[in-house]
Amino acid sequence: MTIIAVFNQKGGVGKTTATANLAAAMARNGLAPLAIDLDPQAHLTAMSGLKPLAKETIYSFFHEDAALSDLVKQLPNQVNLIPAHMELARVDMLLTQSRRDLRKLKIAMADEMLSSSDTPVLIDCCPMLGVLSLSALMAADVVLVPVTAEYLAMNGAAQLDQTLSGLTAKGLHRPRKVFINRYQRGHPTSEKVAHELTRRYGKDFCRTRVCESQSVLEGVGSNLDVFSFAPDSEGAEDFSYLLDELVESGFIRVGK
């Protein structure tokens, strides 16, 4: 299966909702995904309705060498989640950007056979390019980049391009796919951003456009993914199509 880092160096582009809803789409297709909340804001954890202690979260892995498998919580929608806690913010101060520290997550996933199992893994990254995000990029096979239909989000994607180029120069190439999020059909800015992303990324830009969706927003407010909240909504349809495209293009591998 594939380890996917969901990342953009701009906040507020929908990384968490994309992670939650793609994981839910995978679960509905019988793929038993694992989501890892690697953002100290812990929005993915909160969206899942969990309020764990720091020792029950990914913070314990970095701070106390807890096993990743001991931290997994199964959610009602059959998504497995390793939650986060605000204490995770200390990790960037506790660890360095040495290769040993940055490989800690990658090595643990290999040792616990998470990277070679039938389980797809989605890592919800924080927008800061520190130890946490670099650890996710090191552990990931591919990077999925949500870009909201606004100009500043494209700047964040461009910054990420530079980061990925730096990894490639070090022999750590990470393929990426960009998709437009919160798209509004016919809106001038949305159309201009979609055109520019198509021009800039070509085949690496997803055809699927995830539209601005009230059902997605209301689902978040109810601690539910869009499939649990409104399975027949346009939002659910968009994330289903996005998953289909990512699988059909080979970006996400299904099976060993």
Side-chain angles (χ1 to χ4, degrees):
M1 282 293 185
T2 309
I3 301 172
I4 309 143
V6 184
F7 188 41
N8 188 322
Q9 287 179 242
K10 181 188 181 301
V13 296
K15 294 186 299 294
T16 297
T17 53
T19 302
N21 289 309
L22 276 174
M26 291 175 179
R28 285 171 62 87
N29 282 274
L31 296 178
L34 171 65
I36 301 176
D37 191 349
L38 210 57
D39 188 341
Q41 295 180 90
H43 287 164
L44 182 61
T45 302
M47 181 179 169
S48 302
L50 300 179
K51 296 180 180 179
L53 300 174
K55 66 181 181 181
E56 300 171 325
T57 72
I58 192 73
Y59 170 74
S60 185
F61 163 75
F62 285 105
H63 188 242
E64 300 172 4
D65 294 322
L68 292 171
S69 55
D70 289 342
L71 302 172
V72 175
K73 311 290 183 186
Q74 188 174 71
L75 304 178
N77 63 358
Q78 303 305 305
V79 171
N80 296 300
L81 173 68
I82 297 180
H85 190 276
M86 68 177 68
E87 286 292 302
L88 194 57
R90 296 176 56 194
V91 169
D92 276 315
M93 295 181 285
L94 293 170
L95 301 181
T96 67
Q97 291 192 12
S98 68
R99 190 174 182 85
R100 178 179 63 84
D101 284 346
L102 294 179
R103 286 175 57 85
K104 180 179 173 72
L105 180 61
K106 180 181 179 68
I107 290 170
M109 294 182 74
D111 288 347
E112 297 187 45
M113 294 186 290
L114 293 173
S115 57
S116 59
S117 70
D118 286 337
T119 299
V121 180
L122 297 106
I123 307 176
D124 185 22
C125 302
C126 64
M128 292 179 58
L129 191 62
V131 170
L132 294 173
S133 293
L134 287 171
S135 294
L137 293 174
M138 290 282 283
D141 299 310
V142 296
V143 183
L144 182 63
V145 188
V147 178
T148 44
E150 58 178 358
Y151 298 113
L152 291 179
M154 286 197 300
N155 292 339
Q159 291 171 355
L160 176 58
D161 289 344
Q162 296 177 5
T163 300
L164 295 179
S165 294
L167 289 175
T168 297
K170 295 179 181 180
L172 299 167
H173 176 64
R174 297 293 182 268
R176 52 105 168 89
K177 282 276 191 182
V178 177
F179 77 93
I180 193 166
N181 196 23
R182 297 176 186 164
Y183 173 77
Q184 298 180 58
R185 292 188 186 87
H187 190 281
T189 300
S190 285
E191 297 299 345
K192 288 179 182 178
V193 169
H195 177 77
E196 174 59 21
L197 291 172
T198 301
R199 185 195 67 79
R200 184 183 297 181
Y201 293 107
K203 64 180 177 60
D204 292 332
F205 178 55
C206 294
R207 299 185 308 275
T208 303
R209 299 180 181 186
V210 177
C211 295
E212 185 77 54
S213 171
Q214 193 64 30
S215 58
V216 171
L217 295 175
E218 291 179 2
V220 171
S222 300
N223 294 332
L224 294 171
D225 64 85
V226 71
F227 297 95
S228 300
F229 182 79
D232 297 323
S233 65
E234 183 180 43
E237 186 177 74
D238 286 347
F239 278 105
S240 290
Y241 286 151
L242 179 61
L243 176 60
D244 288 345
E245 179 177 350
L246 295 173
V247 171
E248 289 168 6
S249 67
F251 185 75
I252 295 177
R253 300 187 306 274
V254 177
K256 293 183 179 180

